[in-house]
Amino acid sequence: PFQLRLRVLFRSSLNWKGHIVYHNPACVTLLNRLALDESNISALLPDNFVNRLTHWQAEKEHHIEFEHTVLERTLKYHLSILPDLETCHLYIEDITDQKHIYDQLTFQVYHDQLTRLPNRRRFLEQVDTLINQQRPFSLLLISLDRFELVQSAQGYDIGDAIIIGMTQRLKEIIDEFSETIHLYRMEGTRFCLVLGLA
């Protein structure tokens, strides 16, 4: 079922030197969630925040967005610099769950579900990058013969086990070499090794 997700913003105001002069109650809630001292609002800011703020002020920036990780939570910051008032408004959003979902979807797009190897789409994109950068590389294509006969006789579970076993064996062989080698599952029983991809 469709779920409506409310966007919770943790709002604070800072003076021109980057010191917090106001914060809404949601900031305390976030500190409690992170098991941090609720009186130390500055714990939500990156260590180098004041230096970065000074740089943005010198560059006459007005709206900046950036991300920072605090105790394994990913926070997104929306900073508005108001030079006429010599103040700054900072909105913080906890995007950990959204980022986790995005990473999962991205992984599914670029990886094979059975072997968890990079898939054909990932292969094509990375090889295209190598070609555009005119970097030398080599390809080795591998395919299992008569796999369909085995799968027809033994079933899909045995077929999947063979594919997984093949994947593990290829990984073991790759680990024996010092060169940078990347392994992809193209489709079915077809695998590809790319040598020269950093």
Side-chain angles (χ1 to χ4, degrees):
F2 177 77
Q3 293 183 347
L4 177 63
R5 181 180 179 85
L6 297 179
R7 186 184 183 200
V8 179
L9 291 179
F10 310 95
R11 179 177 178 269
S12 62
S13 296
L14 303 88
N15 63 21
W16 198 242
K17 293 184 178 180
H19 301 138
I20 298 174
V21 295
Y22 165 81
H23 62 273
N24 67 356
C27 290
V28 176
T29 301
L30 178 58
L31 285 168
N32 289 331
R33 184 189 305 170
L34 297 171
L36 295 172
D37 182 2
E38 64 180 43
S39 65
N40 184 17
I41 301 297
S42 297
L44 296 176
L45 302 176
D47 292 337
N48 62 347
F49 175 75
V50 174
N51 290 335
R52 295 172 71 181
L53 176 60
T54 302
H55 171 75
W56 291 325
Q57 291 168 339
E59 295 294 320
K60 301 188 183 303
E61 299 281 355
H62 295 288
H63 301 285
I64 298 98
E65 291 187 0
F66 60 95
E67 294 180 8
H68 176 61
T69 301
V70 179
L71 296 178
E72 299 183 355
R73 301 296 296 182
T74 302
L75 306 180
K76 186 171 184 178
Y77 299 77
H78 307 265
L79 176 66
S80 295
I81 300 176
L82 309 172
D84 293 342
L85 301 176
E86 292 192 348
T87 188
C88 306
H89 291 163
L90 182 63
Y91 298 88
I92 307 173
E93 184 179 5
D94 187 348
I95 61 169
T96 305
D97 295 337
Q98 298 95 306
K99 192 173 180 65
H100 180 66
I101 292 171
Y102 174 81
D103 290 343
Q104 284 184 321
L105 292 175
T106 301
F107 185 89
Q108 292 173 8
V109 168
Y110 287 105
H111 290 80
D112 173 61
Q113 185 175 359
L114 177 63
T115 63
R116 304 184 71 80
L117 289 175
N119 60 17
R120 183 185 186 91
R121 176 178 294 188
R122 187 65 169 167
F123 164 80
L124 292 173
E125 287 190 7
Q126 293 187 328
V127 167
D128 188 56
T129 298
L130 290 173
I131 292 172
N132 289 334
Q133 295 177 351
Q134 298 183 350
R135 291 166 54 189
F137 65 95
S138 301
L139 299 178
L140 176 62
L141 299 173
I142 301 172
S143 180
L144 295 176
D145 291 336
R146 297 187 293 276
F147 174 80
E148 291 77 8
L149 296 176
V150 175
Q151 185 168 259
S152 297
Q154 302 296 325
Y156 287 101
D157 289 343
I158 297 299
D160 288 348
I162 292 173
I163 294 295
I164 292 172
M166 180 68 174
T167 300
Q168 186 59 39
R169 181 62 183 133
L170 288 172
K171 286 181 177 179
E172 292 171 357
I173 294 173
I174 290 172
D175 289 342
E176 296 176 4
F177 294 87
S178 59
E179 293 85 356
T180 301
I181 304 175
H182 288 256
L183 173 63
Y184 304 82
R185 184 186 180 193
M186 304 298 283
E187 56 196 1
T189 62
R190 296 187 179 90
F191 295 83
C192 183
L193 298 176
V194 178
L195 292 74
L197 181 61

